[in-house]
Amino acid sequence: MTAEAPNLVAGEERPAATGAWLERSRPADGSPLCRVARSGAEDAAAAVAAARDAQPAWGARTAVERGNVVRAIAELLRERREEASALVAEETGKPLALAQGETDAAIEMGFFVAGEGRRSYGRTTTASMPHRTVLTLRRPVGVAALLISFNTPLPNVAWKAFPAILCGNASVLKPSEHTPLSATWLGRLCLEAGLPPGVLNVVQGLGPEAGMPLVEDPRVDLVSFTGSARTGGLVAEACGRRLAKAVLELGGKNALVVCDDADLDRAVEWTVASAFSNAGQRCAAASRVVVLEAAYDAFVERLLAVVDALDDIGPVISEESMERILDAVAAARGAGAIVLRGGDRVGDAGWHVAPTLVEGVASDAPLSCQELFGPVAALYRARDFDEAVAVVNDSPYGLTAAIHTASVHRAMLFAERVAAGVVVVNAGTHGSEPHMGFGGVKASGTGWKEAGVEALDAYSETQYVNLVVDPMAV
Ligand code: NAD
């Protein structure tokens, strides 16, 4: 029997109202994987109605109780770690060990968020009038639409759904059409762990058909979106028209800088992990590697040796994605770039792109500016530190940046001068953890952070309470 990814509305599994399905195949070999409910406006509206119904009672529970439910979800996910990881490995094609690491990251996010139910700290302050105290309380935003990318399916849900649940919201999750199975699976698991029906609903389908109706629905108070800058712009526009709160976590064109005083073996190791793990499908992937002139030849020689010995990095998510990536590399080659490694498909089953390294690309060429979301990194020579910083900043994006250097002075100057939400010294361009806020500047985001206690600011509203005490009434 073909696997199915139905919607989950008010605790019930449902096909799309029209009965339409999308077919989905396995990225690893192109074989049929499942069919996905092809939802539309009617399905989105039903899910929002279910969330609206469920929210008041959920929001009235204490944050401690809500945190306990998030903990129960994390515990159940830990019990089912192998099942979850196998499902993700199958629907994305990524190596099982990588999928297991992602399941662990989602579980850790659950435990971190659960603990926040017992903190949920606010502030108290004074006022200009006597006998007055001002304090802050967190209030739920209401109903949230959560739209996510395919790249790390379980953490992508965990980063949004867990803080949304903790803060007393009810949500409608629109997973990527490429990774529908793990989303419905996690929705069911939440119910089993004790989350009331309707607090987390799942609407499957394509972005414009199933996602945009959620974004435009006036009953949705908060839209939290993780995806490309292009789609993020459309979401922001729709939210702007109706003045809805919009949290946007977008793309990156992250740079890793290798200085002439760096430990080159270590820099190579982190470059390969940053550029090629998850087949480069990370918002924080290093797609630009900037090397100081004095270290360039030695670094590239070692880098090529390690890339030549790389194991399978897994496929990219779809045939269209593979074609788009290969076309971009071919166009760069046509414009004079040198493709040192890769640039072609591996095998003829599934959507595998060879780890690709390109040099001789201008910093304003399309390959330097457009996020490819694949295993492609461009190498740049920089005369000195100042030029390296200039190349890093010559980008529409500002998500993460890394530097390899033995000098703490250079490292701190780098952090001061680069426009990036996250700066890493002597490691990769990714590596966030549940307790660390994550988000970018410029076209990478609009200022809200995910994860960390900062996520609570996205999923709650801060209310200021002025408390006047009447001494005469004592
Ligand atoms: P995408 O923008 O194509 O899709 C993201 C989500 O939006 C999907 O669920 C999709 O169905 C939906 N969507 C697409 N078009 C829509 C529309 N017109 N209206 C409403 N919804 C729509 O992105 P993707 O290819 O799934 O993901 C890759 C992108 O995500 C990359 O740019 C990557 O950097 C980014 N990303 C960012 C972060 C972060 O935290 N900043 C994390 C992971 C991925």
Side-chain angles (χ1 to χ4, degrees), residues 147-152 156 159 174-178 205-208 211-212 215 225-232 234-235 249-252 282-284 371 373 397 399 438 444 450:
L147 284 78
I148 55 170
S149 163
F150 62 82
N151 64 332
T152 54
N156 287 4
W159 275 31
K174 209 305 274 168
S176 167
E177 57 275 25
H178 299 297
L206 300 172
M212 197 42 95
V215 174
F225 172 84
T226 294
S228 63
R230 198 194 63 82
T231 313
L234 300 175
V235 169
E249 305 297 338
L250 310 174
R282 292 185 193 280
C283 54
E371 186 189 37
F373 222 53
Y397 293 101
L399 192 52
F438 182 83
S444 295
E450 289 214 298

Side-chain angles (χ1 to χ4, degrees), residues 142-227:
V143 168
L146 314 176
L147 284 78
I148 55 170
S149 163
F150 62 82
N151 64 332
T152 54
L154 291 177
N156 287 4
V157 177
W159 275 31
K160 293 193 189 302
F162 292 167
I165 291 169
L166 181 87
C167 292
N169 306 286
S171 304
V172 181
L173 170 68
K174 209 305 274 168
S176 167
E177 57 275 25
H178 299 297
T179 49
L181 289 173
S182 55
T184 301
W185 184 91
L186 191 59
R188 282 189 210 114
L189 180 130
C190 289
L191 289 166
E192 199 181 329
L195 190 71
V199 175
L200 179 65
N201 306 277
V202 181
V203 171
Q204 303 278 8
L206 300 172
E209 295 174 5
M212 197 42 95
L214 294 171
V215 174
E216 289 174 337
D217 194 317
R219 298 167 299 167
V220 170
D221 305 289
L222 160 68
V223 177
S224 180
F225 172 84
T226 294

